[in-house]
């Protein structure tokens, strides 16, 4: 897997290459690029780039002094785009919504479009049950305990935790891969805790959200109708907040739409990209 050295540390990423328009996919906590494994193959003709951000599922620990706050990760994402020379990017978020802060920080010049798929928004950082997990992560040793609890099927599949993020169920081997780095590395558990406890106060989040009105480029908001973590009203509010926002709701899905409804998500993405001038590049002949 390719790697790139950024200010916070070494980031792994996948890159399909090609001459098509660039799509950058971001994942949730503590996930990695496999969150998009069902969707990426459905988007031929695009260059698909998937960074593994330091949200707890990353394989290499960051520098001890790295800023792994919501704002810090957003800025790191911007640095990633810059270092790879990616322009006219369609930035796709699911679960983690902090990539939107590139806009509020005035660092979204390389982003031509946003696709927000059932993600954190407004003051919902972190969402629902994750608030309790974030509080627990402030306790020394709590992330280590969480990684051990995730080995217990009943805990791993609980509808009040990660099990509630997908109606279809996240395969055990995928979830095990997400938690493996924190299971084996104390430094990654440190990073996990830094990010998990980093959400600013409600008034700060809402102030940042107001700045999103400055993004005058196309935005597709895709929301899941059975999502227990991301309020349904947030999808409508986001589509209204962005000047060029458009809402698509997908039924029979929870937060991880790429897991529950990959084909329908890929269709919505392809339609949006085509409508906004990002046609796929088909192989010659």
């Amino acid at each position: 897997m390719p790697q790139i050295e950024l200010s916070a540390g070494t980031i792994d990423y996948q890159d399909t290459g090609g001459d098509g328009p660039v799509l950058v996919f971001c994942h949730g906590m503590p996930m990695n690029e496999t969150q998009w494994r069902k969707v990426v193959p459905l988007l031929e003709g695009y260059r698909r780039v998937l960074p593994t951000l330091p949200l707890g599922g990353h394989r290499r620990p960051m520098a001890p002094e790295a800023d792994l706050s919501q704002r810090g990760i957003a800025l790191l994402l911007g640095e990633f785009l810059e270092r790879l020379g990616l322009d006219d990017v369609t930035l796709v978020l699911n679960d983690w919504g902090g990539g939107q802060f590139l806009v509020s920080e005035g660092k979204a010049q390389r982003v031509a479009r946003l696709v927000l798929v059932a993600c954190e928004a407004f003051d919902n950082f972190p969402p629902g049950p994750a608030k309790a997990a974030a509080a627990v992560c402030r306790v020394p040793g709590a992330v280590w305990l969480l990684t051990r609890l995730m080995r217990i099927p009943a805990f791993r599949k609980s509808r009040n935790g990660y099990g509630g993020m997908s109606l279809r169920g996240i395969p055990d081997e995928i979830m095990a891969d997400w938690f493996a780095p924190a299971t084996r590395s104390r430094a990654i558990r440190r990073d996990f805790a830094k990010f998990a406890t980093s959400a600013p106060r409600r008034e700060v989040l809402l102030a940042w959200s107001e700045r999103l009105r400055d993004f005058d480029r196309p935005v597709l908001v895709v929301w899941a109708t059975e999502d227990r973590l991301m309020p349904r009203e947030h999808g409508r509010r986001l589509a209204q907040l962005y000047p060029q926002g458009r809402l698509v709701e997908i039924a029979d899905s929870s937060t991880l739409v790429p897991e529950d409804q990959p084909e329908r998500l890929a269709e919505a993405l392809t339609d949006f990209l085509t409508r906004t001038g990002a046609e796929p590049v088909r192989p010659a002949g």
Side-chain angles (χ1 to χ4, degrees):
M1 184 178 293
Q3 305 163 11
I4 188 167
E5 184 71 27
L6 301 179
S7 58
T10 301
I11 297 290
D12 294 331
Y13 67 98
Q14 288 187 351
D15 186 350
T16 64
D19 298 324
V22 179
L23 314 181
V24 174
F25 295 87
C26 296
H27 56 81
M29 181 189 83
M31 306 171 195
N32 60 31
E33 73 287 341
T34 61
Q35 182 176 335
W36 295 99
R37 71 195 184 283
K38 295 181 181 180
V39 174
V40 165
L42 304 178
L43 296 169
E44 292 291 340
Y46 293 96
R47 180 181 175 186
R48 291 140 287 168
V49 182
L50 300 92
T52 301
L53 299 170
L55 307 186
H58 53 300
R59 302 171 182 91
R60 305 168 193 281
M62 297 295 101
E65 70 279 5
D67 179 0
L68 303 185
S69 65
Q70 291 282 352
R71 177 181 177 273
I73 299 292
L75 293 175
L76 191 67
L77 173 60
E79 183 184 347
F80 175 80
L81 300 181
E82 181 178 3
R83 288 287 306 280
L84 284 186
L86 302 177
D87 288 310
D88 296 319
V89 165
T90 298
L91 182 61
V92 188
L93 308 179
N94 176 227
D95 184 32
W96 178 61
Q100 296 175 88
F101 299 143
L102 278 175
V103 176
S104 57
E105 292 295 322
K107 300 291 185 180
Q109 294 86 350
R110 294 176 179 269
V111 180
R113 297 166 199 79
L114 274 175
V115 180
L116 308 176
V117 184
C119 65
E120 297 165 315
F122 303 107
D123 58 347
N124 194 36
F125 286 82
K131 286 182 169 60
V136 169
C137 285
R138 298 182 187 279
V139 178
V143 175
W144 178 88
L145 178 60
L146 177 62
T147 63
R148 267 57 189 174
L149 289 173
M150 289 302 294
R151 297 178 179 178
I152 303 172
F155 185 87
R156 185 170 63 244
K157 297 177 181 180
S158 168
R159 302 302 292 174
N160 292 320
Y162 281 93
M165 298 187 74
S166 168
L167 300 185
R168 302 290 181 272
I170 305 166
D172 286 344
E173 65 273 16
I174 295 296
M175 196 174 292
D177 182 52
W178 292 349
F179 278 88
T183 300
R184 63 175 178 256
S185 170
R186 183 176 183 178
I188 288 178
R189 291 195 294 273
R190 173 205 64 205
D191 294 346
F192 189 146
K194 284 174 70 173
F195 173 74
T197 59
S198 71
R201 301 185 311 277
R202 180 175 185 270
E203 56 267 29
V204 173
L205 288 167
L206 293 178
W208 288 355
S209 297
E210 279 300 305
R211 298 180 204 162
L212 301 179
R213 299 182 190 277
D214 296 337
F215 190 80
D216 59 356
R217 282 148 271 170
V219 177
L220 175 64
V221 179
V222 181
W223 230 248
T225 59
E226 280 75 51
D227 195 341
R228 301 174 63 188
L229 298 181
M230 314 300 174
R232 192 170 181 179
E233 67 176 54
H234 280 191
R236 292 189 287 267
R237 284 176 60 190
L238 279 174
Q240 293 168 359
L241 178 70
Y242 286 99
Q244 294 191 49
R246 174 172 173 254
L247 174 65
V248 172
E249 291 191 325
I250 292 183
D252 197 24
S253 179
S254 190
T255 309
L256 295 182
V257 184
E259 193 71 38
D260 287 344
Q261 297 292 346
E263 292 86 3
R264 289 166 66 185
L265 177 56
E267 288 172 6
L269 271 167
T270 301
D271 178 68
F272 170 69
L273 292 164
T274 302
R275 284 171 179 261
T276 57
E279 296 276 355
V281 173
R282 304 301 183 188

